[in-house]
Amino acid sequence: MSPAKSPAASQRSYHHGDLRRAVLTAALDVIAADGPSALSLRDLARRAGVSHAAPAHHFGDRAGLLTAIAAEGYGLLARALGDARDLREAGVRYVRFAREHPAHFQVMFSPGLLRGDDLELGTARALAADALRAAVTAVDPGDRGPDARLAGVAAWSLAHGFATLLLGHNLDGAVGDDDPEEVFRALAAMLFHSAGPDTPRT
Amino acid sequence: MSPAKSPAASQRSYHHGDLRRAVLTAALDVIAADGPSALSLRDLARRAGVSHAAPAHHFGDRAGLLTAIAAEGYGLLARALGDARDLREAGVRYVRFAREHPAHFQVMFSPGLLRGDDLELGTARALAADALRAAVTAVDPGDRGPDARLAGVAAWSLAHGFATLLLGHNLDGAVGDDDPEEVFRALAAMLFHSAGPDTPRT
DNA sequence: AGGCAATCTAGTCAGTGTCAAGTTCGAGCG
DNA sequence: CGCTCGAACTTGACACTGACTAGATTGCCT
């Protein structure tokens, strides 16, 4: 009952008003709760109070819906990375993004569920890749050799692995009650052993 | 007449002989090819030449099958990690395991598809966790403080992230034609900036 | 006001997971 | 040897899902 946009759901008009958005947010709820495999177009239609085939009109099919979510996720990620001033900060933001948008994150990296050749997805992905590349070269604008590329892969792997394990509750015992972002800062400090700017405590 | 082991499908006896194993390997094939979401119990039954409900008799339901695969995966991982003499070597073996058993790896870290309370899964998982812990403390048997734990999380995150991105073809451009294991060795060298294979000073 | 395209409904079909009941087979025991 | 008994497998059914189609409704644009 949240769509402040339009009270169309309660008032039974023929047109929903913003079905696309309603289906998307409902899908994100379901995915965050029970994973992408628990997602059913018919259930989403039921939640939105429309007929079972209405969502298909907006997304084509199941893969289309997931693809739209992934594309939105890459856009959000690009915005979240923004203008990180170094690789470590980019990693922190990467982890923060995964925690704030777990459903998007999960779908983005489940290639089997997506249509890889989708145009919108491609551009969104490229956008995020640009943001990542910017963070890699931000440390030393002149350095574009293999070392920089390797550092980028290392930072991405570390951040991605940490975020993935975190969302899968594989690190519950290890991080305890600590703020995951602070833990990741410590990990990143190990990777870039230049102590760099010290880690500010929040 | 009991060549029931392998050509059981051709020989149409009422009992398959080794249906459990047959379904498992068929499932691994499907998952490696098209991901876990493309898995259908009925299709597996068809491949094994048995009736559509036969697999359920061995695994209960879909989640049971995936759980059995995950448990097997954790067993294989524990064996693969074996007695790695340091964290870096353990990471290399972790990545190697993911590349040699992509289906297992994928299922192991998809909590939404598994029954988390399964007994066999729990023990297998604990076994793998022990192997990991052993690798963490192998560097300095006396050190069990937060530093060692952090190093373990860092190594696990790096290896897991690298393996995940690799399997998702997210690093195709970055690693090029290089041997992924060698690339990971370089990443691990960045993390444990001691250059040597051993003597990692904390 | 009229027409048009987007939006949504309703009906259908093949495919799936899961359950309940029957059938076949082999091992163990009299 | 014959018997039972339980595990492995089959058969049939039900509810549900994704996908497709044709038709109804509506908002918008000229």
Side-chain angles (χ1 to χ4, degrees):
Chain A
M1 310 310 190
S2 51
K5 218 37 167 299
S6 68
S10 55
Q11 134 194 16
R12 33 52 188 319
S13 73
Y14 194 91
H15 284 357
H16 179 282
D18 197 4
L19 181 59
R20 185 185 164 92
R21 191 67 245 165
V23 168
L24 277 176
T25 59
L28 291 172
D29 282 352
V30 173
I31 294 172
D34 299 328
S37 60
L39 198 146
S40 142
L41 290 184
R42 290 175 114 101
D43 179 50
L44 297 179
R46 243 171 272 134
R47 290 176 187 237
V50 295
S51 81
H52 62 167
H57 188 266
H58 288 274
F59 303 100
D61 57 359
R62 207 183 123 96
L65 169 60
L66 274 314
T67 302
I69 291 179
E72 187 181 65
Y74 277 109
L76 289 171
L77 175 60
R79 218 157 56 95
L81 289 177
D83 54 344
R85 65 179 190 284
D86 59 1
L87 254 188
R88 198 204 298 199
E89 187 60 25
V92 171
R93 295 189 185 190
Y94 193 93
V95 172
R96 187 183 306 154
F97 166 81
R99 295 216 308 150
E100 286 177 350
H101 304 281
H104 284 102
F105 188 80
Q106 212 171 336
V107 174
M108 287 159 63
F109 294 99
S110 301
L113 305 175
L114 276 44
R115 356 180 100 209
D117 57 347
D118 184 85
L119 186 67
E120 194 187 358
L121 177 63
T123 62
R125 195 178 264 160
L127 212 73
D130 283 348
L132 257 182
R133 245 190 304 277
V136 172
T137 57
V139 283
D140 185 355
D143 189 1
R144 294 173 180 274
D147 269 12
R149 205 179 48 194
L150 218 59
V153 173
W156 191 11
S157 294
L158 189 70
H160 189 78
F162 184 75
T164 303
L165 292 174
L166 204 64
L167 291 187
H169 295 104
N170 287 104
L171 297 179
D172 287 358
V175 306
D177 292 337
D178 302 343
D179 178 13
E181 279 184 32
E182 286 308 315
V183 175
F184 178 77
R185 258 182 230 278
L187 301 190
M190 291 186 63
L191 187 60
F192 310 112
H193 52 91
S194 65
D198 56 9
T199 68
R201 313 247 171 188
T202 53
Chain B
M1 314 317 150
S2 57
K5 229 29 179 287
S6 49
S10 57
Q11 159 192 4
R12 50 179 73 265
S13 72
Y14 193 92
H15 286 356
H16 179 283
D18 197 4
L19 181 58
R20 185 185 164 91
R21 191 67 245 165
V23 168
L24 277 176
T25 59
L28 290 173
D29 282 352
V30 173
I31 295 173
D34 298 330
S37 61
L39 197 145
S40 143
L41 291 184
R42 288 176 116 102
D43 179 49
L44 297 180
R46 242 170 273 135
R47 292 176 185 235
V50 295
S51 80
H52 61 204
H57 189 265
H58 286 275
F59 302 100
D61 58 357
R62 210 183 121 95
L65 169 60
L66 274 314
T67 301
I69 291 178
E72 188 181 64
Y74 277 109
L76 289 171
L77 175 60
R79 219 157 56 95
L81 289 178
D83 53 344
R85 63 179 191 284
D86 61 1
L87 255 188
R88 198 205 295 200
E89 189 58 27
V92 171
R93 296 189 186 189
Y94 193 94
V95 172
R96 188 183 306 153
F97 167 79
R99 294 215 308 150
E100 286 177 349
H101 305 280
H104 284 103
F105 188 80
Q106 212 170 336
V107 173
M108 286 160 64
F109 295 98
S110 301
L113 304 176
L114 276 43
R115 357 179 102 202
D117 58 346
D118 185 86
L119 186 67
E120 194 188 357
L121 177 62
T123 62
R125 194 178 264 159
L127 211 74
D130 283 349
L132 257 181
R133 244 191 305 278
V136 172
T137 57
V139 283
D140 185 355
D143 189 359
R144 295 173 180 273
D147 269 13
R149 204 178 49 194
L150 218 60
V153 174
W156 192 11
S157 295
L158 188 71
H160 188 79
F162 184 75
T164 303
L165 293 174
L166 204 63
L167 291 188
H169 295 104
N170 288 105
L171 297 180
D172 287 358
V175 307
D177 293 336
D178 302 342
D179 178 14
E181 279 184 32
E182 286 309 314
V183 175
F184 179 77
R185 257 181 231 278
L187 300 190
M190 292 186 62
L191 187 60
F192 310 112
H193 50 91
S194 69
D198 49 4
T199 73
R201 50 200 187 86
T202 145

